[in-house]
């Protein structure tokens, strides 16, 4: 759990007090077995974990933590797909147990562990729904979230999963337009769940809005424009985009439709800041944390970013509310110098799916080799 009030001088405690839930963007069996994950809960206020194919590929490529299970899987004749399913669901199930106290103490608000449907299904609605239900049913822990990408085909899968009572982490959101569609898919799922008699209070969701990748692509284009005016706008797009996403969150969950569902026990779908590791060395390494602080959001950080925040993150209170006009002005200036942010976000969605598919293939290859040599 979080550190006690007598120790609340830490930067991560200050971030938590400001209303940001700190989730770790990493998981491995070694991290669970060594009690390293528990240590992060106790010392750095970590209250959740997110995973993706890249994380699992990296975890499986090193160390011996998986050897015993791989031998058992080979002995029972498991193929690569089944081995991946059993290995990843075990890690997530075990991590969910580590976070169970956080989950209970926060009444389900935090203590969450996310696992992603195969990225190869990102454009197949029915297969995504089926896989989400399979993952949810296999792990069978109330503090798990199933990650579904916010592709056009993913939107109806999000609705169907929520309607079935499954808690969902919507991933790979880059644009405000798509984010609005994600919120609508969530609310529609809640309406269907209510009709089916499901207790809405048991369904939780986060919407993972990607941050640093937006700056990486836009800044490359600003450099190509080459003017002093364009270069002065570097490092401004992602934070502006995310701040306006939070404004949209406040507006959409204040509508009559959303309030009616909340009165029936529904939870608001929290914005989650993802891809918060800083890639531009000219920016502070805590930039996508300290500049995106407000109540009721999640920031999922790679450990390097978490360590930087703990060491020197300057948490000064809310850095989102009240900055919406400034964000709109920044985006208008970026458009004025000729960078099309809408085009960038579409590109990033495609690239995001493609990168996860590459990682999935790496994971497949790693598991295939492990089964071979077991």
């Amino acid at each position: 759990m979080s550190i006690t009030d007598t120790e609340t001088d830490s930067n991560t405690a200050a971030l938590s007090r400001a209303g940001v839930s700190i989730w770790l963007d990493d998981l491995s069996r070694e991290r669970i077995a060594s009690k390293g994950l528990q240590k992060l809960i106790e010392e750095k206020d970590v209250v959740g974990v997110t995973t993706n194919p890249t994380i699992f590929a990296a975890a499986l490529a090193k160390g011996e933590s998986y050897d015993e299970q791989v031998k058992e899987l080979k002995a029972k004749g498991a193929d690569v797909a089944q081995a991946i399913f059993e290995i990843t669901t075990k890690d997530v199930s075990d991590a969910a147990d580590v976070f169970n106290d956080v989950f209970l103490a926060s009444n389900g608000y935090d203590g969450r562990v996310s696992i992603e449907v195969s990225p190869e299904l990102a454009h197949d609605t029915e297969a995504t729904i089926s896989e989400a239900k399979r993952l949810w049913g296999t792990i069978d822990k109330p503090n798990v979230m199933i990650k579904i990408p916010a592709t056009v085909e993913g939107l109806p899968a999000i609705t169907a999963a929520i309607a079935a009572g499954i808690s969902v982490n919507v991933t790979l959101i880059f644009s405000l337009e798509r984010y609005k569609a994600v919120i609508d898919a969530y609310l529609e799922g809640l309406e269907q769940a209510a009709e089916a008699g499901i207790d809405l209070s048991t369904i939780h969701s986060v919407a993972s809005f990607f941050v640093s990748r937006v700056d990486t692509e836009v800044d490359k284009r600003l450099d190509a424009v080459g003017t002093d005016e364009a270069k002065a706008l570097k490092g401004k797009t992602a934070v502006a985009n995310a701040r306006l996403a939070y404004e949209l969150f406040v507006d959409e969950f204040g509508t009559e439709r959303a309030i009616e569902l909340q009165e029936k026990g529904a939870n608001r779908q929290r914005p989650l800041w993802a891809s918060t590791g800083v890639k531009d060395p000219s920016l502070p390494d805590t930039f996508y944390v300290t500049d995106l602080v407000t109540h009721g959001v999640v920031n999922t950080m790679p450990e390097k970013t978490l360590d930087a925040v703990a060491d020197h993150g300057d948490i000064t209170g809310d850095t989102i509310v009240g900055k919406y006009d400034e964000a709109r002005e920044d985006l208008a200036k970026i458009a004025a110098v000729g960078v099309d942010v809408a085009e960038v976000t579409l590109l990033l969605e495609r690239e995001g799916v493609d990168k996860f598919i590459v990682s999935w293939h790496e994971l497949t290859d790693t598991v295939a080799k492990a089964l071979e040599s077991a």
Side-chain angles (χ1 to χ4, degrees), residues 21-32:
S21 292
I22 301 169
W23 291 7
L24 178 71
D25 193 26
D26 190 44
L27 184 65
S28 69
R29 192 158 298 178
E30 171 60 27
R31 196 184 279 281
I32 296 167

Side-chain angles (χ1 to χ4, degrees), residues 151-214:
T151 55
V152 170
E153 298 85 357
L155 295 171
I158 293 158
T159 295
I162 296 293
I166 297 170
S167 291
V168 174
N169 176 341
V170 182
T171 189
L172 289 176
I173 307 170
F174 294 95
S175 72
L176 296 172
E177 180 186 21
R178 185 58 54 83
Y179 180 38
K180 191 172 188 306
V182 165
I183 294 172
D184 186 63
Y186 174 62
L187 295 175
E188 189 179 337
L190 289 175
E191 287 162 349
Q192 292 178 22
E195 284 174 20
I198 294 171
D199 178 357
L200 299 187
S201 70
T202 64
I203 304 170
H204 286 254
S205 184
V206 292
S208 296
F209 208 86
F210 279 55
V211 185
S212 67
R213 294 187 196 182
V214 174

Side-chain angles (χ1 to χ4, degrees), residues 74-281:
K74 183 175 183 177
K76 70 177 188 179
D79 62 14
V80 172
Q82 185 60 25
I84 290 172
F85 187 86
E86 293 200 24
I87 288 166
T88 57
T89 54
K90 176 172 171 44
D91 277 2
V92 168
S93 179
D94 289 348
D97 289 343
V98 174
F99 280 100
N100 193 53
D101 286 348
V102 176
F103 173 73
L104 294 174
S106 65
N107 197 28
Y109 186 74
D110 279 313
R112 298 278 168 177
V113 184
S114 297
I115 185 170
E116 190 152 356
V117 296
S118 165
E120 294 185 314
L121 309 179
H123 301 296
D124 186 333
T125 302
E126 291 307 317
T128 296
I129 295 168
S130 175
E131 184 74 354
K133 288 180 175 177
R134 183 178 175 225
L135 287 165
W136 181 257
T138 299
I139 300 170
D140 196 24
K141 300 277 170 74
N143 56 330
V144 165
M145 283 183 163
I146 308 304
K147 288 177 82 173
I148 297 175
T151 55
V152 170
E153 298 85 357
L155 295 171
I158 293 158
T159 295
I162 296 293
I166 297 170
S167 291
V168 174
N169 176 341
V170 182
T171 189
L172 289 176
I173 307 170
F174 294 95
S175 72
L176 296 172
E177 180 186 21
R178 185 58 54 83
Y179 180 38
K180 191 172 188 306
V182 165
I183 294 172
D184 186 63
Y186 174 62
L187 295 175
E188 189 179 337
L190 289 175
E191 287 162 349
Q192 292 178 22
E195 284 174 20
I198 294 171
D199 178 357
L200 299 187
S201 70
T202 64
I203 304 170
H204 286 254
S205 184
V206 292
S208 296
F209 208 86
F210 279 55
V211 185
S212 67
R213 294 187 196 182
V214 174
D215 273 345
T216 299
E217 182 61 32
V218 169
D219 289 358
K220 185 170 73 178
R221 295 177 184 217
L222 290 169
D223 275 334
V225 172
T227 63
D228 289 344
E229 184 186 9
K231 288 179 180 179
L233 294 166
K234 288 175 66 177
K236 291 184 180 290
T237 314
V239 165
N241 202 36
R243 286 173 174 167
L244 294 180
Y246 187 78
E247 181 188 39
L248 184 62
F249 158 73
V250 172
D251 289 347
E252 291 299 307
F253 283 95
T255 63
E256 190 178 330
R257 178 191 188 192
I259 289 168
E260 191 177 314
L261 286 162
Q262 288 167 70
E263 285 171 349
K264 293 178 181 175
N267 300 289
R268 297 195 298 175
Q269 180 190 54
R270 289 185 286 165
L272 178 153
W273 311 132
S275 182
T276 57
V278 173
K279 297 173 176 66
D280 180 351

